[in-house]
Amino acid sequence: MADPIIIGTVALDSLETPFGKVQNILGGSASYASLAASFFSKPGILSIVGKDFPCEHIKFLNGRGINTEGIVLGEKTFRWQGFYEFDMNEAKTLRTELNALESYKVNVPENYKNAKYVFLANIDPELQLAAIKQIKNPELVVMDTMNFWIEHKKKQLLEAIDKSDVIVLNDAEARQLFNTPNLVKAANAALKLHSKSVIIKKGEHGALLFTDKKHFSAPGYPLENIKDPTGCGDCFGGAFIGYLAKTRDLSEANMRKAIIYGSIIASYNAEDFGTKRLQKISHEDIEKRYKEFKDIREF
Amino acid sequence: MADPIIIGTVALDSLETPFGKVQNILGGSASYASLAASFFSKPGILSIVGKDFPCEHIKFLNGRGINTEGIVLGEKTFRWQGFYEFDMNEAKTLRTELNALESYKVNVPENYKNAKYVFLANIDPELQLAAIKQIKNPELVVMDTMNFWIEHKKKQLLEAIDKSDVIVLNDAEARQLFNTPNLVKAANAALKLHSKSVIIKKGEHGALLFTDKKHFSAPGYPLENIKDPTGCGDCFGGAFIGYLAKTRDLSEANMRKAIIYGSIIASYNAEDFGTKRLQKISHEDIEKRYKEFKDIREF
C-alpha cells in the first residue's frame, strides 16, 4: 500500500538560472515531494500528465519506489517556464500552460484509500479537497499552497486548511494569507483555524514550527552554491511527511526531526538542476547533513 | 577600569512606528550598545554630545555602571529622525543632523587605554580607526557598520575591518559590501580579509556566525509584539562583547553563547520604545529567555 499519498502537479519545466538552462525536465510539486518522501517511505502520487509525458519519468519515479497508479492520463502535460535572477530568491514565471490540469478529476485508487498520511502539495485547493474526501481515515493531513491560490481561490483554500492538521506556507504566503508582516501573528492566526501546527518555510533562513504552546526554529543550511531552487519547498513538505509516515510518531518532538529532514532534502535539491542532485544522494549523505544541522545550532 | 570600550554615537532620536511616536529620546549606537553590555560588564563609552544633551541621560548611563568619561562635549548633539512602516523591517530616515559628530576628535581617556575588549559600534570608520589606534593592546576588536559607510567610506571601512577580529554586519550590508546575494559567499569573502569571525545579523531570522571552519546559526526569537526596533543591532553587538568581556573566553563555543545573549538583549529591546524595555529587565529575565532559546532550537 502506498503511504503517504501526495496530490500535486507533475510537470515539464523549462527554466533558466544564473548557472544554466534546462528544457522540459521533470518538475511539479508532486514529483519533487514524492521523490523527497521516497527516501523514507513508499509514496503514491495523485496527478495527471499528458500523452506527451516521457515514459522514462514514470519509470524513474517507480524505480524510487513511488507508486504512480494515481497519475491519470490527459491530453497534454502541465508545463511551466520560468527563470531566477541573480538573487535566486524568487521564481519568475514566463509562461504557465495548465493543459491537462484544467480538466483533472481526482479519482483515488483503491490501493491509496487506506493511507494514513496525506500531503496536499501545491495544486488547486479544489483538487486538494477532492483528494482528501476520498481517503478513508487519514491520521495526518499536511497541506502546502502558493500565492496564486491565496489570491484566486481563498475560500476553497481556507476549506482545505480546515481539513488539514499541518499547514506549510512560505513566509511571504503566511504574511499574505493572514494580512500581517509578523510571522508569529500569522502563525497564531493560522492556529485559530482548524490546524494543529503551522510550518513557515523561510528559504535560506530555515523554517519555523508553531504548535499550540511550542515553537521550533530550524536553521537554514549554509549553501554556498545554489544552482536551481525549483522544488525545494515541495521537497521540504515531501520529506517531512515521508519521515512522519516512516516513524509513525506525531509528537511535536518528532515533527521537529521531520522538519530537519525536510530541510536536508530541500538543501540538497538546490545544488543542481531539477531532480539531478536527489538522484545521487544516499542515506549516508542525509545522515551526514543531519549531524551538520545539529552542530550548527549547538550552544 | 572600563572594559569593553565602545565607540559609537550618542544621539537624540525622534521616531514613529505603527505603535507610537517619541521625541528626543536617548539613542545612538553607543548608548544602546553600552546599555546592552552593562548587563554583563562595565563598559566605557567614547562619543560626543552637545550642550543640549540632557544630563539625566548621562546619569542614567552611569547608574547602569557605564563609564561616560570618554563622552566629550561639543556644541549640539547628533540627532536622528525617522520612522518605521507597517513591516518594521527598515528604519526610514527623515532627517539626520550630524552636529557635534562632524568635528569629533577621538581622545581615549587613560582609564580606557588598557581595556582588552573594544566594540567599534556604528560610526564613521575614521573615528573607529582613531579609537583603535589609541587602545594599547586589545585582545578582541569587534566592529559594526552600516550601509552609509559602505557607500561613502569604503576604503576606510575596509581598513577598520582589517584592524578587527570580528565583523558584525546585517544581511543587506553583507550582500552589499561583498557584492553577492549569497550570505555564505559574503561571509567567506569577509574571512579572506583580516577578520577571524563574521557575524551576520538577520533581524527576525536570527544571526549567523562564520569562522574558519565552523558555522553557527542562532535562531530568531519569536516576537509577536515589536514596538520599536531602533538600536536592536547595537544591542546585539554590545551584549555580545559585554558577555565576552565578562567571561574572557574567546573560543568559538563561547562566541555562540555571546551571540545568544546578544539576541536576547536585542529581542527585549524591540518590545518598547527607546531604552524603555531594557531599563526594566533583570538577569532572571535574561536567563529565562536563554532557556527559551535553547528550547526553540532543540531537535
Side-chain angles (χ1 to χ4, degrees):
Chain A
M1 193 188 82
D3 202 356
I5 302 308
I6 297 173
I7 183 168
T9 60
V10 173
L12 292 171
D13 285 352
S14 296
L15 62 99
E16 192 169 354
T17 83
F19 303 98
K21 194 175 172 173
V22 287
Q23 284 208 302
N24 294 320
I25 60 167
L26 176 63
S29 62
S31 308
Y32 280 108
S34 64
L35 184 53
S38 74
F39 287 99
F40 310 98
S41 52
K42 300 277 173 207
I45 296 180
L46 285 172
S47 196
I48 189 166
V49 295
K51 292 169 187 159
D52 56 341
F53 191 70
C55 178
E56 55 166 322
H57 296 329
I58 297 291
K59 284 196 171 156
F60 162 64
L61 294 169
N62 293 156
R64 308 288 314 200
I66 298 165
N67 190 319
T68 56
E69 63 181 292
I71 301 183
V72 294
L73 199 66
E75 268 309 305
K76 207 180 164 203
T77 306
F78 166 53
R79 281 163 196 259
W80 176 74
Q81 199 188 336
F83 66 98
Y84 296 84
E85 284 174 323
F86 183 56
D87 75 355
M88 304 277 268
N89 267 331
E90 199 195 344
K92 313 264 182 183
T93 294
L94 286 171
R95 191 173 170 163
T96 304
E97 290 178 33
L98 289 177
N99 298 332
L101 265 184
E102 289 189 281
S103 56
Y104 177 35
K105 300 272 176 287
V106 181
N107 193 356
V108 177
E110 280 308 315
N111 201 18
Y112 286 15
K113 285 189 174 164
N114 291 309
K116 294 297 173 200
Y117 296 82
V118 181
F119 181 37
L120 311 173
N122 176 35
I123 197 167
D124 186 331
E126 293 190 50
L127 298 170
Q128 293 179 321
L129 283 164
I132 202 64
K133 264 179 204 147
Q134 296 174 50
I135 293 170
K136 283 178 188 164
N137 194 18
E139 275 169 28
L140 184 81
V141 178
V142 178
M143 74 161 281
D144 195 353
T145 191
M146 69 180 290
N147 52 1
F148 183 85
W149 307 117
I150 297 174
E151 283 152 29
H152 295 94
K153 292 207 177 174
K154 193 163 173 179
K155 188 175 153 280
Q156 295 89 331
L157 179 69
L158 290 171
E159 216 179 304
I161 289 177
D162 187 56
K163 301 268 182 260
S164 305
D165 304 296
V166 180
I167 324 175
V168 182
L169 295 163
N170 73 32
D171 46 355
E173 290 156 7
R175 296 184 221 262
Q176 183 187 8
L177 183 57
F178 298 104
N179 196 30
T180 168
N182 186 292
L183 293 178
V184 186
K185 282 192 175 140
N188 286 337
L191 289 175
K192 286 201 184 107
L193 306 175
H194 174 84
S195 296
K196 292 187 209 85
S197 309
V198 181
I199 295 170
I200 298 178
K201 298 176 288 186
K202 303 191 296 174
E204 64 172 325
H205 302 304
L208 306 175
L209 168 68
F210 293 88
T211 48
D212 191 19
K213 291 270 180 309
K214 299 275 260 176
H215 171 63
F216 173 56
S217 170
Y221 185 79
L223 272 181
E224 188 167 356
N225 294 302
I226 299 173
K227 274 194 182 164
D228 173 16
T230 309
C232 282
D234 307 312
C235 285
F236 176 91
F240 174 78
I241 201 155
Y243 181 78
L244 291 176
K246 175 194 176 190
T247 52
R248 307 202 160 249
D249 170 1
L250 298 179
S251 67
E252 197 258 357
N254 199 50
M255 282 207 187
R256 292 181 176 215
K257 290 194 170 71
I259 284 173
I260 297 299
Y261 282 107
S263 307
I264 290 166
I265 305 297
S267 70
Y268 275 122
N269 180 63
E271 291 179 351
D272 209 338
F273 282 90
T275 58
K276 244 176 156 174
R277 189 72 182 98
L278 294 192
Q279 293 183 37
K280 287 180 195 145
I281 62 165
S282 65
H283 283 280
E284 289 68 44
D285 293 323
I286 294 171
E287 291 309 313
K288 183 171 162 271
R289 200 158 277 189
Y290 190 87
K291 284 199 190 78
E292 288 184 78
F293 266 90
K294 281 244 178 212
D295 185 55
I296 61 181
R297 37 231 296 70
E298 198 55 45
F299 66 86
Chain B
M1 195 187 80
D3 204 355
I5 302 307
I6 297 172
I7 183 168
T9 59
V10 173
L12 293 172
D13 285 352
S14 297
L15 62 100
E16 192 168 355
T17 84
F19 303 98
K21 195 175 173 172
V22 286
Q23 284 207 304
N24 295 319
I25 59 166
L26 175 64
S29 62
S31 309
Y32 280 108
S34 63
L35 184 54
S38 74
F39 286 100
F40 310 99
S41 51
K42 300 275 173 209
I45 296 180
L46 285 172
S47 196
I48 190 168
V49 296
K51 292 171 189 157
D52 56 342
F53 191 72
C55 177
E56 56 167 322
H57 296 328
I58 297 290
K59 284 198 170 156
F60 161 63
L61 294 169
N62 295 154
R64 306 289 311 202
I66 299 165
N67 190 318
T68 55
E69 64 182 293
I71 301 182
V72 293
L73 200 67
E75 268 308 306
K76 207 180 163 203
T77 306
F78 167 53
R79 280 162 197 258
W80 176 74
Q81 199 186 338
F83 67 98
Y84 296 85
E85 283 173 325
F86 182 56
D87 75 358
M88 304 277 266
N89 268 331
E90 200 195 343
K92 315 264 183 183
T93 293
L94 286 171
R95 190 174 174 163
T96 305
E97 291 177 34
L98 290 177
N99 298 332
L101 266 183
E102 288 189 282
S103 56
Y104 177 33
K105 301 271 176 287
V106 181
N107 193 356
V108 177
E110 280 308 315
N111 201 19
Y112 286 15
K113 284 188 175 165
N114 291 309
K116 294 298 171 199
Y117 295 82
V118 180
F119 182 37
L120 310 174
N122 175 36
I123 198 168
D124 186 331
E126 294 190 50
L127 298 170
Q128 293 180 321
L129 283 163
I132 202 63
K133 265 179 204 148
Q134 295 174 49
I135 293 169
K136 284 179 189 162
N137 194 19
E139 275 169 29
L140 185 81
V141 178
V142 178
M143 74 161 282
D144 195 353
T145 190
M146 69 181 290
N147 53 359
F148 183 84
W149 307 117
I150 297 174
E151 283 151 30
H152 295 93
K153 293 208 177 174
K154 192 163 173 178
K155 188 176 153 281
Q156 296 90 331
L157 179 68
L158 290 171
E159 215 179 306
I161 289 176
D162 187 58
K163 301 268 180 263
S164 305
D165 304 295
V166 180
I167 324 174
V168 182
L169 294 163
N170 73 33
D171 46 356
E173 290 156 7
R175 296 185 221 263
Q176 183 186 10
L177 183 57
F178 298 103
N179 197 28
T180 169
N182 186 292
L183 292 178
V184 185
K185 283 192 174 139
N188 286 338
L191 289 176
K192 285 199 186 107
L193 305 175
H194 174 86
S195 296
K196 293 188 209 83
S197 309
V198 181
I199 295 171
I200 298 178
K201 298 176 289 185
K202 305 192 295 175
E204 64 173 324
H205 303 304
L208 306 176
L209 168 68
F210 294 88
T211 48
D212 192 20
K213 291 268 179 309
K214 300 274 261 176
H215 172 63
F216 173 57
S217 171
Y221 186 79
L223 271 182
E224 188 167 355
N225 293 304
I226 300 172
K227 274 195 183 164
D228 173 16
T230 309
C232 282
D234 308 311
C235 285
F236 176 91
F240 174 77
I241 201 154
Y243 181 77
L244 291 176
K246 174 192 175 189
T247 53
R248 308 204 158 245
D249 170 0
L250 298 180
S251 66
E252 198 257 359
N254 199 49
M255 282 208 188
R256 292 180 177 215
K257 290 196 169 70
I259 284 174
I260 298 298
Y261 281 107
S263 307
I264 291 166
I265 304 297
S267 70
Y268 275 122
N269 181 61
E271 291 179 351
D272 209 339
F273 282 90
T275 58
K276 241 175 157 177
R277 189 72 182 98
L278 294 191
Q279 292 183 38
K280 287 181 194 145
I281 62 165
S282 64
H283 283 279
E284 289 67 44
D285 294 323
I286 293 171
E287 290 309 314
K288 181 171 163 271
R289 200 159 276 189
Y290 190 86
K291 284 200 190 76
E292 287 185 78
F293 266 89
K294 281 244 178 212
D295 185 56
I296 61 181
R297 59 124 188 95
E298 198 58 43
F299 65 86

